[in-house]
């Protein structure tokens, strides 16, 4: 969980765009048409006015780290680190083994309590000592809500891995799908290759290493990502521009809550 999420090379500039398009991206980054442009042209160049440099597809600015993070999922205050391209899989593995360890500890305490009640039922009571009772009670009070929170986050991250999406992109997809429905279109996420391929892209080619705390063997550079297809551009009315801009500004600052 201390592994950095990756970084964008200083001075990086997207290729395949004219100087006019790049300059237009800089203007859009400070205007109310920011969200409209990003959604109508999914692969358009994006400029971060806070970092004063271009950011690759799927990268977002983290206000806590004060930098743009490649393929950013969220900033997690519990590990004091951003979850992004280089450590997303490691964060998932951390959740899995954390839940496993907590579950094992709770199971041991549960067995201890069951054995105590069974001994009472059997007529040869073996009560817990005061110290044992306090330790078990305090740990169960702390571990129960903790494991529930980690389980919810684990299953959330599992769903993201199956669709090759991040937490920020989930909200982008939801908004784009709503816009597509208004135009009687069907929006599909361009990075979604289907669950089997998505899991390989997330965990790596070697399935035996999926739950090991090692980097995926197919880890990309955080700049270029394989695309299943190009989505159809969406149009927006002028009345929607301010609303979309307001709703999308927080996406670069999403925190783990």
């Amino acid at each position: 969980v201390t592994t950095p999420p990756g970084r964008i090379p200083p001075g990086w500039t997207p290729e395949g765009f004219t100087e006019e398009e790049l300059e237009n991206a800089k203007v859009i980054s400070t205007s109310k048409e920011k969200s409209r442009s990003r959604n109508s042209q999914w692969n358009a160049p994006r400029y971060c006015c806070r970092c004063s440099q271009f950011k690759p597809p799927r990268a977002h600015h983290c206000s806590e780290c004060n930098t743009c993070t490649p393929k950013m999922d969220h900033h997690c205050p519990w590990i004091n680190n951003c979850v992004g391209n280089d450590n997303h899989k490691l964060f998932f593995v951390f959740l899995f083994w954390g839940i496993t360890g907590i579950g094992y500890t709770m199971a041991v305490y549960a067995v201890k309590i069951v054995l105590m009640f069974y001994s009472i039922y059997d007529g040869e009571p073996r009560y817990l000592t005061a110290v044992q009772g306090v330790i078990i009670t305090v740990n169960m009070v702390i571990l129960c809500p903790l494991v529930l929170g980690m389980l919810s986050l684990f299953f959330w991250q599992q769903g993201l891995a199956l669709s090759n999406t991040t937490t920020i992109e989930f909200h982008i997809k939801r908004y784009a799908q709503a816009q597509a429905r208004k135009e009687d279109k069907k929006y599909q996420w361009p990075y979604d290759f289907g669950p089997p391929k998505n899991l390989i892209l997330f965990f790596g080619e070697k399935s035996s290493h999926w739950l090991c705390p090692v980097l995926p063997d197919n880890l990309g550079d955080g700049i270029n990502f394989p695309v299943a297809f190009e989505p159809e551009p969406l149009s927006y009315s002028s009345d929607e521009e301010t609303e979309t801009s307001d709703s999308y500004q927080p996406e670069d600052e999403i925190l783990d809550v």
Side-chain angles (χ1 to χ4, degrees):
V1 295
T2 59
T3 301
R7 62 189 298 269
I8 301 170
W12 178 83
T13 303
E15 299 177 353
F17 298 97
T18 64
E19 288 295 329
E20 182 180 356
E21 290 174 320
L22 296 179
E23 287 300 319
N24 187 48
K26 293 182 179 180
V27 174
I28 289 175
S29 68
T30 57
S31 73
K32 290 186 177 182
E33 296 200 12
K34 179 180 178 182
S35 298
R36 178 174 181 266
S37 173
R38 179 162 59 247
N39 285 281
S40 60
Q41 300 179 21
W42 71 277
N43 61 341
R46 299 183 304 144
Y47 187 81
C48 178
C49 55
R50 283 170 282 188
C51 291
S52 300
Q53 74 165 41
F54 287 96
K55 53 186 176 182
R58 313 185 78 177
H60 298 275
H61 185 88
C62 174
S63 58
E64 292 294 317
C65 299
N66 196 31
T67 186
C68 285
T69 301
K71 195 187 172 187
M72 180 179 175
D73 184 79
H74 68 288
H75 182 91
C76 181
W78 305 107
I79 63 174
N80 192 32
N81 198 6
C82 259
V83 177
N85 184 71
D86 290 5
N87 63 357
H88 200 172
K89 181 247 185 178
L90 300 179
F91 180 72
F92 183 92
V93 173
F94 162 73
L95 289 175
F96 175 82
W97 289 114
I99 292 169
T100 301
I102 293 174
Y104 174 79
T105 302
M106 293 178 68
V108 170
Y109 289 152
V111 169
K112 185 71 174 177
I113 295 173
V114 169
L115 289 176
M116 182 192 71
F117 282 108
Y118 180 79
S119 69
I120 296 173
Y121 174 80
D122 202 35
E124 298 180 1
R126 293 191 297 272
Y127 297 104
L128 298 175
T129 66
V131 174
Q132 289 175 327
V134 170
I135 291 176
I136 291 177
T137 300
V138 170
N139 275 273
M140 293 298 280
V141 168
I142 294 174
L143 294 180
C144 281
L146 179 60
V147 75
L148 289 176
M150 292 181 69
L151 274 171
S152 63
L153 186 56
F154 173 80
F155 285 118
W156 170 258
Q157 291 293 329
Q158 186 179 60
L160 296 179
L162 288 169
S163 59
N164 195 11
T165 312
T166 65
T167 299
I168 294 175
E169 291 169 347
F170 171 82
H171 297 285
I172 295 175
K173 283 172 54 180
R174 186 174 63 175
Y175 179 79
Q177 289 167 349
Q179 291 298 322
R181 284 193 295 270
K182 291 180 181 179
E183 302 176 20
D184 294 325
K185 298 178 181 178
K186 183 179 180 181
Y187 179 83
Q188 291 181 293
W189 185 239
Y191 304 103
D192 188 356
F193 289 86
K197 177 65 174 178
N198 290 339
L199 288 177
I200 292 175
L201 290 172
F202 186 86
F203 289 104
E205 299 284 348
K206 297 180 180 179
S207 58
S208 59
H209 292 175
W210 281 11
L211 295 179
C212 296
V214 296
L215 294 176
D217 52 0
N218 59 350
L219 181 65
D221 56 6
I223 305 295
N224 304 291
F225 299 93
V227 177
F229 48 81
E230 295 189 7
E232 186 178 355
L234 302 175
S235 60
Y236 300 85
S237 65
S238 58
D239 293 337
E240 293 175 315
E241 289 176 11
T242 303
E243 178 184 350
T244 58
S245 178
D246 292 340
S247 63
Y248 266 74
Q249 285 175 356
E251 79 182 25
D252 289 345
E253 303 177 356
I254 289 181
L255 299 179
D256 177 22
V257 294

